[in-house]
Amino acid sequence: MNAENDQPYRSDGDGAAAPTRQGGALDSLVVPPVEEQHREPDELGKQTPWALRRLARQQRKSDQTEQRRRAYAAKRNQEDSVPHRGSYAPGGGRVSPMDPPAMWRATTVQACGLWPFASGSGAPTIGVPLGQHLSTGATVCGDPLNWFTRARYISNPSLFMLGMPGLGKSTLINRMLIGLSAQGVVPLVLGDLKPDYADTVRALGGQVISIGRGMGGLNVLDPGAMGAAAAAIGGHAGQTLAAETHGRVLNMVAALLTIVRGQAITDHEQSVLSACLRHLRQRIPVGHAAHLGDLLAVLQDGPDEVRQFTLDRGEESRYRDAVDPLHRSLMGILDGPLGNTFASTTSTHIDPDATAVCIDISRIGEADSQLTAAAMLAAWSDGLGTVAASHALADAGLAPRRWFFTVLDELWRPLRAASGIVDRIDALTRLNRSLGLADAKITHTLKDAEALGNESDKAKARGFVERAGMVVCAGLPRAEMEELGRVVGLSRREIDLVSSWSSPPGWAHGGENEAPPGRGRFLIKVGGRPGIPIQVAITETERHLHDTNTRWVDNGHAERVQAARGAARTRLTSGDGLQPPAPGEPLHTPPDRR
């Protein structure tokens, strides 16, 4: 050990230790003063000078930022730049989201003082007011007739509606009936099964025709309005219309035979039927109509103009072999499930000048599927014949031009009646654009078309959706929406939205009359455009006129509802439809629960 390392140390006055030997290794160490040392706050919370200077710099930066912010706010808060939702200064009241105010619908006469402050939106406003847009709350208007004639949104004035039961499909169509009737259009409900539209048509001052066993019949051989129009027009135009009448009657008789047989008739049988109908038309006096019994008698007699289409070559046995199947089928119509509904005289003809027409077939039982399908087809044929007659009279200058809106509800019923019915429906409804009418076809799902017997009928039934100018969807299951999306082009968001509407109410409700979440909600699709989701809210008058659940209430409630409907019709026809019910007048209230 070196001796110099054993030198003792001494302590300075300030406590610093230093060796006593001069010229050691620590002689050059300089300790700064305490005020210049960078230290954190001590245990007593006292700040060192360095920390205080750092805080002072931070405060100066904060003050400069606040001054710049105040200068910017003062500039923005001048009178010519104050935003409509308040100022940007603290406490200025600026709010980003705002709750929408209550919306009310009124005419320009009722709200004339507020009319200059109306604002537009991206929703279509041409046609019948349907409801509010689910996203923007704007009023959405539309119907196939106005969107074809005025707005030019669609190229075919037709509507196809799909949706689960109980979600308001017929309610939306009732809204269109009322709105179009106010515009001078004639609604035609050709086959009301429940009935959903009879009370609305009565309230509009229209004509309701009942068809059923023991109630009323429809003679399918009666030329109806087309025959009367052909006689009134005369000349070449009248002969052309008479030929069209012959073809329409022939198609209707062939449709009835298809329903009875369960399969389509052959081509030579249709030629024989056409010859029989011409023979009857030549021998029936003007102003009278033949019946199915007369048609059967012609087949039995076998006149020469009929025999020539059977190639009997003068042999009775060959003629009988050719017409016996047709003979048996006609007898099946007269004495079978269709009864005398289509063999007797027409009980009530459609009035071409009526404001609205409804053919009520609700009295036909649910088990009579053949009679229901036949009644619907006969109603369609008679109604569309009335439309053709009206346009023929207008073309001849004998009547004013009128437009029509036909409703074909519960389309699945006739589709399932027999093979070949799709062809008849397609023939009756394909030319609506040239006939001057708009139509609405209503069913539940696309599976109604898939349930048909052969691929040809399925393709034709799917064509109803593809040719429709407007496709309206109520709540549908996801699998059904996926199938529909391949036909009309639905986005994933639209599929999710409509699928959510098919859910039932939650389990937590206590049994009160709670509506399903999708009731009154619809998605309107037109071509490849984005769908328009709407919410339909009906008025009290519409609620009185349209209630499809009267069978599910206590005794006495149906009578109260019927009385309320009668009162609503009286107010509507007398011009007081917007007035509240009189004191003591029955209201549409749920039945007492005891």
Side-chain angles (χ1 to χ4, degrees):
M1 177 181 297
N2 294 331
E4 62 181 5
N5 295 333
D6 295 332
Q7 294 296 328
Y9 283 80
R10 61 179 176 83
S11 175
D12 295 333
D14 56 357
T20 57
R21 185 178 179 276
Q22 298 295 329
L26 298 180
D27 290 347
S28 61
L29 180 63
V30 178
V31 178
V34 176
E35 60 273 8
E36 296 182 1
Q37 296 179 11
H38 294 179
R39 297 180 180 180
E40 295 298 325
D42 56 17
E43 296 181 356
L44 299 179
K46 296 180 179 180
Q47 296 286 348
T48 62
W50 179 85
L52 293 175
R53 288 195 300 271
R54 184 179 62 181
L55 291 176
R57 286 194 300 269
Q58 293 176 352
Q59 185 63 36
R60 284 195 299 270
K61 291 181 179 179
S62 177
D63 293 342
Q64 293 173 358
T65 302
E66 179 65 19
Q67 290 177 0
R68 289 194 297 267
R69 190 193 65 80
R70 290 179 179 275
Y72 177 79
K75 182 179 179 181
R76 293 293 302 270
N77 290 338
Q78 297 176 0
E79 292 184 359
D80 57 346
S81 61
V82 174
H84 66 283
R85 291 181 178 176
S87 65
Y88 290 89
R94 186 173 184 270
V95 180
S96 297
M98 294 183 65
D99 294 334
M103 299 185 66
W104 303 87
R105 184 181 292 112
T107 64
T108 55
V109 176
Q110 295 169 323
C112 55
L114 298 177
W115 182 252
F117 302 99
S119 60
S121 65
T125 57
I126 299 177
V128 177
L130 301 179
Q132 292 181 333
H133 198 288
L134 284 178
S135 300
T136 64
T139 300
V140 177
C141 303
D143 59 83
L145 196 146
N146 282 286
W147 280 15
F148 174 74
T149 57
R150 296 170 55 198
R152 305 290 182 181
Y153 293 153
I154 57 180
S155 59
N156 187 21
S158 62
L159 179 149
F160 198 95
M161 180 178 291
L162 302 100
M164 300 296 289
L167 297 183
K169 300 189 298 298
S170 56
T171 300
L172 181 63
I173 299 299
N174 259 294
R175 172 68 60 82
M176 290 187 183
L177 290 184
I178 297 173
L180 289 174
S181 177
Q183 299 177 15
V185 180
V186 181
L188 301 175
V189 183
L190 305 178
D192 196 355
L193 284 162
K194 293 183 180 178
D196 287 337
Y197 311 96
D199 286 323
T200 301
V201 171
R202 290 192 185 96
L204 295 174
Q207 181 187 25
V208 177
I209 303 173
S210 298
I211 296 179
R213 290 193 178 96
M215 293 193 58
L218 183 60
N219 182 13
V220 294
L221 301 187
D222 190 347
M226 292 187 70
I233 295 173
H236 179 71
Q239 294 177 1
T240 303
L241 187 60
E244 176 65 24
T245 305
H246 173 81
R248 189 174 294 275
V249 171
L250 176 61
N251 285 334
M252 190 59 233
V253 176
L256 289 182
L257 292 172
T258 301
I259 292 175
V260 171
R261 287 186 178 184
Q263 61 183 5
I265 65 175
T266 62
D267 54 349
H268 77 273
E269 288 177 330
Q270 192 159 353
S271 299
V272 170
L273 277 177
S274 179
C276 292
L277 291 174
R278 282 195 298 268
H279 178 81
L280 283 174
R281 188 175 71 245
Q282 294 171 2
R283 283 156 178 79
I284 295 296
V286 178
H288 295 76
H291 299 81
L292 286 178
D294 301 327
L295 183 62
L296 193 63
V298 172
L299 275 180
Q300 181 67 31
D301 296 340
D304 293 338
E305 55 266 33
V306 176
R307 287 177 178 268
Q308 64 179 345
F309 290 96
T310 63
L311 302 179
D312 63 334
R313 296 181 176 88
E315 298 181 11
E316 184 69 18
S317 60
R318 289 175 61 91
Y319 173 75
R320 294 303 168 189
D321 292 340
V323 301
D324 278 350
L326 191 60
H327 198 159
R328 284 193 297 267
S329 298
L330 285 173
M331 291 179 64
I333 295 177
L334 293 174
D335 299 329
L338 303 186
N340 293 326
T341 306
F342 305 105
S344 59
T345 304
T346 300
S347 56
T348 306
H349 289 87
I350 295 179
D351 182 7
D353 297 325
T355 57
V357 177
C358 174
I359 299 181
D360 182 6
I361 60 174
S362 60
R363 300 299 180 90
I364 301 177
E366 292 290 332
D368 294 336
S369 59
Q370 288 186 337
L371 181 57
T372 300
M376 293 186 72
L377 286 176
W380 295 353
S381 180
D382 196 17
L384 296 180
T386 303
V387 173
S390 175
H391 288 305
L393 291 173
D395 293 338
L398 301 178
R401 180 74 65 189
R402 308 182 76 186
W403 291 345
F404 299 85
F405 177 62
T406 60
V407 178
L408 310 179
D409 203 350
E410 302 293 342
L411 194 63
W412 62 273
R413 297 285 291 272
L415 287 178
R416 297 184 182 180
S419 177
I421 291 298
V422 177
D423 295 326
R424 304 301 170 186
I425 299 175
D426 189 56
L428 291 174
T429 60
R430 181 179 286 270
L431 299 178
N432 57 343
R433 184 165 60 93
S434 60
L435 289 177
L437 62 88
D439 73 272
K441 304 180 187 71
I442 308 170
T443 189
H444 292 151
T445 67
L446 282 181
K447 292 183 174 61
D448 297 334
E450 298 299 326
L452 298 179
N454 54 65
E455 292 298 328
S456 176
D457 287 348
K458 292 179 182 179
K460 293 173 184 176
R462 285 193 293 266
F464 295 157
V465 185
E466 296 171 353
R467 290 196 306 270
M470 299 171 59
V471 177
V472 180
C473 304
L476 287 169
R478 179 173 295 275
E480 180 67 22
M481 291 301 299
E482 297 283 353
E483 179 68 21
L484 182 62
R486 288 190 283 270
V487 179
V488 299
L490 296 171
S491 66
R492 178 58 52 185
R493 183 174 181 181
E494 291 171 346
I495 292 176
D496 294 340
L497 178 65
V498 179
S499 300
S500 66
W501 296 342
S502 63
S503 303
W507 295 104
H509 70 90
E512 63 275 3
N513 189 17
E514 181 178 347
R519 179 174 294 175
R521 297 188 175 188
F522 302 93
L523 180 71
I524 303 175
K525 285 288 293 184
V526 175
R529 298 179 180 180
I532 305 174
I534 64 172
Q535 172 71 55
V536 178
I538 62 176
T539 63
E540 282 301 316
T541 301
E542 291 176 293
R543 197 183 306 277
H544 288 314
L545 295 175
H546 183 68
D547 184 3
T548 59
N549 293 325
T550 55
R551 295 290 180 89
W552 293 91
V553 293
D554 296 339
N555 290 336
H557 178 61
E559 288 74 11
R560 293 196 298 270
V561 171
Q562 190 65 26
R565 290 182 178 182
R569 287 196 301 269
T570 302
R571 291 198 306 273
L572 191 61
T573 54
S574 62
D576 298 331
L578 299 177
Q579 299 298 325
E585 182 178 321
L587 298 175
H588 182 78
T589 56
D592 297 335
R593 298 183 181 272
R594 293 188 173 91

